[in-house]
Amino acid sequence: VGRIGGAFGVLGGVRVPSFTDPPENLLEYAPWLIEDRGAWRAVSPAAAKPSGTGFVVQLRELASRDQAQALTGRFIAVPRAALPEIDSD
């Protein structure tokens, strides 16, 4: 549903382009899952604000720029059950 585009600021914020339509839907899904060393780990957005074509998001699990930079390029997924049902047509 999105991707970590890079670090933002010194407190562990990340830039996140959204793959959802409309882009704001990204912020409605929970939990976010990020691939980490072959496994998916859950992360929780604490705050988000629009920025360019995506958002700047502070994740509860990140406290530093170094932690945020380590996630650059990782995809954000959500459990299938968190997505809305698709219309039959």
Side-chain angles (χ1 to χ4, degrees):
V1 293
R3 188 175 196 159
I4 305 294
F8 180 87
V10 297
L11 300 177
V14 290
R15 294 184 186 275
V16 178
S18 175
F19 300 160
T20 64
D21 184 28
E24 302 81 34
N25 280 359
L26 172 69
L27 304 174
E28 300 297 319
Y29 303 132
W32 286 6
L33 305 172
I34 297 178
E35 190 274 327
D36 185 19
R37 297 183 201 116
W40 292 93
R41 72 174 171 130
V43 296
S44 303
K49 64 180 180 178
S51 177
T53 59
F55 301 91
V56 171
V57 179
Q58 181 66 50
L59 299 173
R60 286 187 173 87
E61 295 77 9
L62 302 181
S64 73
R65 183 174 182 85
D66 290 339
Q67 290 175 322
Q69 283 180 318
L71 297 179
T72 298
R74 306 240 177 131
F75 287 100
I76 299 168
V78 295
R80 187 177 302 268
L83 298 172
E85 292 291 322
I86 296 176
D87 292 334
S88 61
D89 61 344

